[in-house]
Amino acid sequence: MANRTVTVFAHRGASGYRPEHTIESYRLAIEMGADVIEPDLVSTRDGVLVARHENEISGTTDVADHPELADRRTTKVVDGVSVTGWFTEDLTLAELRTLHARERLPAVRPGNTLYDGLYPVPTFDEILDLARIEAVRRGRVIAVAPETKHPSYFASLGLDLTPPLLASLERVGWTGADAPVVVQSFESGNLRELRRLVAVPLVQLTSASTAYARMLTPAGLREVSTYATWLGPEKSQVLPRDASNAIGAPSGLVGDAHAAGLKVVVYTVRAEPRFLPSNVDVHGELEALIAAGVDGVFADQPDLAIASAERARTEDRSLALRARRPRDLRVG
């Protein structure tokens, strides 16, 4: 990875510029210099891992335009939430390959809609191969950070995500602690299982909901460190917002996580105003997160995160040089 103050994770690729979870989104992120590309993984009916934000795909593909699949539309309860639409677990890979990706947030990112219908849904294996090929071509490490989506739900359907995930990592020889891969999940049970089966780094994702409150205590963080390398909190857990949606002083979460031996990668930095605090622009938010001590950021516009990380690194080097200069002076 690049020698920066923080590691830049391209969130679903360069999803601020191309429809998310497409090969072109990942390719653009790599061209921009991202350290890590991030696919969310769900399963097809025949057990193939593919990259989609959710297993319900009416908002991210043109499935509604396929009359031959109209009878697959249904309502399901996924992790306690009732969802209506088309689901990857009801389609084979061959059927999914007849679909094309669409921008998930067309009102927010109208420019991305220009690419609607151009790209298929990629498999996890295709994403791994892209990272490997581009790493050789560019002469640098390009890591992959898959997130297992709803692993307990998929396991209940007989579509456990773990075996195909491990098979894909074994195929490319990425099973050791130094492999350029880090696996994420919100489900600690899934991560604990993975820790028993593979040595790659793991990220325990959290949200601002009370469900994670105990996990974020000093004792809880020490427990997380027994199976994970990274903590992945929501950015508001590091930079809380006040009633006016402004950020101020950081919380103590980064320091507590570091004390427990965990690195911290926050999600998700996005440049559009609707996602930003009221008192800073995207660079201000990135600078505040870096100043808070985070080790990585998930970003929809990875080029902007890279620019802020490089600027922070330059400033750190400048400060270090100024601090050394008096001691380096030689007088008569």
mmCIF file of all heavy atoms in Angstrom, residues 12 40-43 52-55 79 147-154 161 184-187:
data_model
loop_
_atom_site.group_PDB
_atom_site.id
_atom_site.type_symbol
_atom_site.label_atom_id
_atom_site.label_comp_id
_atom_site.label_asym_id
_atom_site.label_seq_id
_atom_site.Cartn_x
_atom_site.Cartn_y
_atom_site.Cartn_z
ATOM 1 N N ARG A 12 -16.915 0.454 -2.671
ATOM 2 C CA ARG A 12 -17.637 -0.082 -3.834
ATOM 3 C C ARG A 12 -16.996 0.383 -5.140
ATOM 4 O O ARG A 12 -17.662 0.547 -6.153
ATOM 5 C CB ARG A 12 -19.114 0.301 -3.779
ATOM 6 C CG ARG A 12 -19.764 -0.035 -2.440
ATOM 7 C CD ARG A 12 -21.179 0.524 -2.314
ATOM 8 N NE ARG A 12 -21.611 0.457 -0.920
ATOM 9 C CZ ARG A 12 -22.697 1.052 -0.433
ATOM 10 N NH1 ARG A 12 -23.468 1.763 -1.233
ATOM 11 N NH2 ARG A 12 -23.009 0.945 0.829
ATOM 12 N N ASP A 40 -19.038 -5.549 -1.793
ATOM 13 C CA ASP A 40 -20.012 -6.209 -0.917
ATOM 14 C C ASP A 40 -20.407 -7.521 -1.587
ATOM 15 O O ASP A 40 -20.737 -7.522 -2.778
ATOM 16 C CB ASP A 40 -21.261 -5.349 -0.747
ATOM 17 C CG ASP A 40 -20.992 -4.039 -0.018
ATOM 18 O OD1 ASP A 40 -20.027 -3.986 0.755
ATOM 19 O OD2 ASP A 40 -21.765 -3.090 -0.228
ATOM 20 N N LEU A 41 -20.415 -8.609 -0.818
ATOM 21 C CA LEU A 41 -20.648 -9.918 -1.413
ATOM 22 C C LEU A 41 -21.990 -10.509 -1.003
ATOM 23 O O LEU A 41 -22.330 -10.564 0.191
ATOM 24 C CB LEU A 41 -19.532 -10.893 -1.020
ATOM 25 C CG LEU A 41 -18.114 -10.512 -1.451
ATOM 26 C CD1 LEU A 41 -17.138 -11.609 -1.044
ATOM 27 C CD2 LEU A 41 -18.048 -10.248 -2.951
ATOM 28 N N VAL A 42 -22.741 -10.960 -2.005
ATOM 29 C CA VAL A 42 -23.981 -11.711 -1.816
ATOM 30 C C VAL A 42 -23.911 -12.948 -2.702
ATOM 31 O O VAL A 42 -23.016 -13.069 -3.534
ATOM 32 C CB VAL A 42 -25.224 -10.856 -2.165
ATOM 33 C CG1 VAL A 42 -25.364 -9.692 -1.195
ATOM 34 C CG2 VAL A 42 -25.147 -10.336 -3.597
ATOM 35 N N SER A 43 -24.866 -13.851 -2.527
ATOM 36 C CA SER A 43 -24.813 -15.118 -3.262
ATOM 37 C C SER A 43 -25.927 -15.229 -4.294
ATOM 38 O O SER A 43 -27.050 -14.748 -4.081
ATOM 39 C CB SER A 43 -24.927 -16.293 -2.285
ATOM 40 O OG SER A 43 -24.887 -17.531 -2.970
ATOM 41 N N ARG A 52 -22.822 -6.860 -4.962
ATOM 42 C CA ARG A 52 -23.980 -5.965 -4.928
ATOM 43 C C ARG A 52 -24.071 -5.387 -3.529
ATOM 44 O O ARG A 52 -23.737 -6.047 -2.544
ATOM 45 C CB ARG A 52 -25.291 -6.708 -5.219
ATOM 46 C CG ARG A 52 -25.557 -7.151 -6.643
ATOM 47 C CD ARG A 52 -25.781 -6.007 -7.615
ATOM 48 N NE ARG A 52 -24.512 -5.499 -8.158
ATOM 49 C CZ ARG A 52 -24.400 -4.412 -8.895
ATOM 50 N NH1 ARG A 52 -25.469 -3.680 -9.162
ATOM 51 N NH2 ARG A 52 -23.216 -4.015 -9.347
ATOM 52 N N HIS A 53 -24.586 -4.170 -3.439
ATOM 53 C CA HIS A 53 -24.762 -3.531 -2.139
ATOM 54 C C HIS A 53 -25.705 -4.337 -1.258
ATOM 55 O O HIS A 53 -25.483 -4.478 -0.050
ATOM 56 C CB HIS A 53 -25.299 -2.115 -2.330
ATOM 57 C CG HIS A 53 -25.683 -1.430 -1.060
ATOM 58 N ND1 HIS A 53 -24.836 -1.345 0.018
ATOM 59 C CD2 HIS A 53 -26.833 -0.798 -0.694
ATOM 60 C CE1 HIS A 53 -25.449 -0.690 0.996
ATOM 61 N NE2 HIS A 53 -26.649 -0.356 0.595
ATOM 62 N N GLU A 54 -26.748 -4.863 -1.847
ATOM 63 C CA GLU A 54 -27.712 -5.709 -1.141
ATOM 64 C C GLU A 54 -28.110 -6.863 -2.043
ATOM 65 O O GLU A 54 -27.925 -6.811 -3.267
ATOM 66 C CB GLU A 54 -28.963 -4.910 -0.752
ATOM 67 C CG GLU A 54 -28.744 -3.894 0.356
ATOM 68 C CD GLU A 54 -28.518 -4.525 1.717
ATOM 69 O OE1 GLU A 54 -28.795 -5.739 1.871
ATOM 70 O OE2 GLU A 54 -28.048 -3.814 2.634
ATOM 71 N N ASN A 55 -28.697 -7.881 -1.434
ATOM 72 C CA ASN A 55 -29.186 -9.002 -2.249
ATOM 73 C C ASN A 55 -30.455 -8.636 -3.011
ATOM 74 O O ASN A 55 -30.792 -9.291 -4.005
ATOM 75 C CB ASN A 55 -29.426 -10.243 -1.379
ATOM 76 C CG ASN A 55 -30.320 -9.976 -0.179
ATOM 77 O OD1 ASN A 55 -30.261 -8.917 0.445
ATOM 78 N ND2 ASN A 55 -31.142 -10.940 0.160
ATOM 79 N N ASP A 79 -32.867 -10.082 7.776
ATOM 80 C CA ASP A 79 -32.363 -9.542 9.046
ATOM 81 C C ASP A 79 -33.417 -8.680 9.738
ATOM 82 O O ASP A 79 -33.136 -7.576 10.228
ATOM 83 C CB ASP A 79 -31.076 -8.741 8.827
ATOM 84 C CG ASP A 79 -29.898 -9.634 8.463
ATOM 85 O OD1 ASP A 79 -30.036 -10.871 8.569
ATOM 86 O OD2 ASP A 79 -28.848 -9.102 8.068
ATOM 87 N N GLU A 147 -16.854 -7.438 1.892
ATOM 88 C CA GLU A 147 -17.766 -7.450 3.044
ATOM 89 C C GLU A 147 -18.805 -8.538 2.829
ATOM 90 O O GLU A 147 -19.481 -8.569 1.791
ATOM 91 C CB GLU A 147 -18.471 -6.107 3.225
ATOM 92 C CG GLU A 147 -19.447 -6.133 4.401
ATOM 93 C CD GLU A 147 -20.316 -4.899 4.522
ATOM 94 O OE1 GLU A 147 -19.996 -3.869 3.896
ATOM 95 O OE2 GLU A 147 -21.350 -4.976 5.237
ATOM 96 N N THR A 148 -18.946 -9.420 3.794
ATOM 97 C CA THR A 148 -19.997 -10.425 3.722
ATOM 98 C C THR A 148 -21.306 -9.770 4.145
ATOM 99 O O THR A 148 -21.431 -9.248 5.252
ATOM 100 C CB THR A 148 -19.691 -11.628 4.627
ATOM 101 O OG1 THR A 148 -19.506 -11.176 5.987
ATOM 102 C CG2 THR A 148 -18.447 -12.364 4.161
ATOM 103 N N LYS A 149 -22.293 -9.779 3.261
ATOM 104 C CA LYS A 149 -23.585 -9.150 3.520
ATOM 105 C C LYS A 149 -24.588 -10.200 3.992
ATOM 106 O O LYS A 149 -24.795 -11.220 3.338
ATOM 107 C CB LYS A 149 -24.113 -8.484 2.246
ATOM 108 C CG LYS A 149 -23.197 -7.414 1.675
ATOM 109 C CD LYS A 149 -23.169 -6.162 2.523
ATOM 110 C CE LYS A 149 -24.424 -5.354 2.423
ATOM 111 N NZ LYS A 149 -24.279 -3.977 2.955
ATOM 112 N N HIS A 150 -25.180 -9.939 5.149
ATOM 113 C CA HIS A 150 -26.222 -10.818 5.703
ATOM 114 C C HIS A 150 -25.781 -12.291 5.755
ATOM 115 O O HIS A 150 -26.496 -13.178 5.281
ATOM 116 C CB HIS A 150 -27.505 -10.698 4.880
ATOM 117 C CG HIS A 150 -27.934 -9.303 4.604
ATOM 118 N ND1 HIS A 150 -28.289 -8.410 5.597
ATOM 119 C CD2 HIS A 150 -28.061 -8.625 3.433
ATOM 120 C CE1 HIS A 150 -28.620 -7.248 5.051
ATOM 121 N NE2 HIS A 150 -28.482 -7.348 3.751
ATOM 122 N N PRO A 151 -24.614 -12.590 6.328
ATOM 123 C CA PRO A 151 -24.137 -13.978 6.302
ATOM 124 C C PRO A 151 -25.062 -14.966 7.011
ATOM 125 O O PRO A 151 -25.234 -16.094 6.538
ATOM 126 C CB PRO A 151 -22.757 -13.898 6.968
ATOM 127 C CG PRO A 151 -22.752 -12.604 7.711
ATOM 128 C CD PRO A 151 -23.630 -11.686 6.940
ATOM 129 N N SER A 152 -25.663 -14.564 8.134
ATOM 130 C CA SER A 152 -26.578 -15.486 8.827
ATOM 131 C C SER A 152 -27.812 -15.772 7.978
ATOM 132 O O SER A 152 -28.296 -16.912 7.921
ATOM 133 C CB SER A 152 -26.996 -14.905 10.182
ATOM 134 O OG SER A 152 -25.900 -14.818 11.052
ATOM 135 N N TYR A 153 -28.321 -14.734 7.324
ATOM 136 C CA TYR A 153 -29.489 -14.907 6.446
ATOM 137 C C TYR A 153 -29.169 -15.886 5.324
ATOM 138 O O TYR A 153 -29.933 -16.830 5.064
ATOM 139 C CB TYR A 153 -29.898 -13.552 5.881
ATOM 140 C CG TYR A 153 -30.887 -13.616 4.740
ATOM 141 C CD1 TYR A 153 -32.245 -13.790 4.982
ATOM 142 C CD2 TYR A 153 -30.457 -13.513 3.412
ATOM 143 C CE1 TYR A 153 -33.156 -13.863 3.931
ATOM 144 C CE2 TYR A 153 -31.361 -13.576 2.363
ATOM 145 C CZ TYR A 153 -32.705 -13.756 2.630
ATOM 146 O OH TYR A 153 -33.591 -13.831 1.582
ATOM 147 N N PHE A 154 -28.040 -15.691 4.654
ATOM 148 C CA PHE A 154 -27.695 -16.586 3.553
ATOM 149 C C PHE A 154 -27.447 -18.012 4.054
ATOM 150 O O PHE A 154 -27.834 -18.979 3.387
ATOM 151 C CB PHE A 154 -26.472 -16.055 2.800
ATOM 152 C CG PHE A 154 -26.812 -15.032 1.752
ATOM 153 C CD1 PHE A 154 -26.513 -13.699 1.944
ATOM 154 C CD2 PHE A 154 -27.454 -15.408 0.583
ATOM 155 C CE1 PHE A 154 -26.840 -12.751 0.987
ATOM 156 C CE2 PHE A 154 -27.788 -14.471 -0.390
ATOM 157 C CZ PHE A 154 -27.484 -13.138 -0.185
ATOM 158 N N LEU A 161 -21.968 -18.082 2.943
ATOM 159 C CA LEU A 161 -21.000 -17.302 2.176
ATOM 160 C C LEU A 161 -19.550 -17.720 2.428
ATOM 161 O O LEU A 161 -18.677 -17.459 1.600
ATOM 162 C CB LEU A 161 -21.143 -15.814 2.519
ATOM 163 C CG LEU A 161 -22.510 -15.162 2.299
ATOM 164 C CD1 LEU A 161 -22.449 -13.686 2.704
ATOM 165 C CD2 LEU A 161 -22.963 -15.303 0.859
ATOM 166 N N GLN A 184 -14.510 -8.024 5.857
ATOM 167 C CA GLN A 184 -15.325 -7.241 6.778
ATOM 168 C C GLN A 184 -16.678 -7.891 7.016
ATOM 169 O O GLN A 184 -17.227 -8.545 6.126
ATOM 170 C CB GLN A 184 -15.638 -5.870 6.210
ATOM 171 C CG GLN A 184 -14.593 -5.153 5.416
ATOM 172 C CD GLN A 184 -15.275 -4.062 4.625
ATOM 173 O OE1 GLN A 184 -15.846 -3.117 5.189
ATOM 174 N NE2 GLN A 184 -15.255 -4.179 3.318
ATOM 175 N N SER A 185 -17.235 -7.607 8.175
ATOM 176 C CA SER A 185 -18.618 -8.000 8.449
ATOM 177 C C SER A 185 -19.135 -7.227 9.654
ATOM 178 O O SER A 185 -18.364 -6.847 10.534
ATOM 179 C CB SER A 185 -18.738 -9.503 8.729
ATOM 180 O OG SER A 185 -20.106 -9.874 8.888
ATOM 181 N N PHE A 186 -20.453 -6.997 9.676
ATOM 182 C CA PHE A 186 -21.100 -6.471 10.872
ATOM 183 C C PHE A 186 -21.361 -7.588 11.877
ATOM 184 O O PHE A 186 -21.571 -7.318 13.056
ATOM 185 C CB PHE A 186 -22.429 -5.800 10.515
ATOM 186 C CG PHE A 186 -22.272 -4.426 9.928
ATOM 187 C CD1 PHE A 186 -22.274 -4.237 8.558
ATOM 188 C CD2 PHE A 186 -22.136 -3.311 10.746
ATOM 189 C CE1 PHE A 186 -22.136 -2.964 8.010
ATOM 190 C CE2 PHE A 186 -22.000 -2.038 10.220
ATOM 191 C CZ PHE A 186 -22.000 -1.859 8.841
ATOM 192 N N GLU A 187 -21.371 -8.835 11.420
ATOM 193 C CA GLU A 187 -21.704 -9.967 12.273
ATOM 194 C C GLU A 187 -20.441 -10.551 12.896
ATOM 195 O O GLU A 187 -19.610 -11.155 12.204
ATOM 196 C CB GLU A 187 -22.453 -11.032 11.481
ATOM 197 C CG GLU A 187 -23.816 -10.574 10.998
ATOM 198 C CD GLU A 187 -24.645 -11.724 10.419
ATOM 199 O OE1 GLU A 187 -24.356 -12.904 10.747
ATOM 200 O OE2 GLU A 187 -25.562 -11.440 9.639
#
